[in-house]
Amino acid sequence: MIKHSDTEFEQLALAFPALKEAEGISPWSPNKLDIWATEEATEPAAVAAAQFLLALWNCNCRWQCGSFDMFRALERWDLYHRWGFLESVGRLTA
């Protein structure tokens, strides 16, 4: 697994519109994002985006906000979030 920097994760997170104001995005703090997604997020799209980023950060951790399910996320995300997802995957595999 390739370790990505905090700055890279901030950039990935900002590709998801529902995370623009989320705690833990800037500066990157996966624990704060997890708490925000669990306790404060009001949009299912935001929770799914947070789950995606947290799974990328550490797929072996049991995050409070739940595990990432790609099919459930795609149901919850609008076109802009889907683009953010594809952009993120593209950045990570380039």
Side-chain angles (χ1 to χ4, degrees), residues 51-90:
Q51 290 170 336
F52 170 65
L53 293 169
L54 294 170
L56 287 177
W57 183 257
N58 185 345
C59 64
N60 296 315
C61 184
R62 297 187 93 197
W63 298 104
Q64 291 179 47
C65 66
S67 59
F68 177 67
D69 180 311
M70 183 180 66
F71 296 105
R72 190 172 352 136
L74 290 171
E75 288 177 349
R76 294 176 174 178
W77 287 336
D78 62 14
L79 184 60
Y80 298 105
H81 286 83
R82 291 176 185 170
W83 281 340
F85 173 71
L86 292 173
E87 182 180 322
S88 298
V89 171

Side-chain angles (χ1 to χ4, degrees), residues 23-43:
E23 289 287 325
I25 298 302
S26 185
W28 173 249
S29 173
N31 292 327
K32 285 184 180 181
L33 179 60
D34 186 31
I35 292 167
W36 178 85
T38 303
E39 298 176 0
E40 297 179 39
T42 57
E43 298 178 46

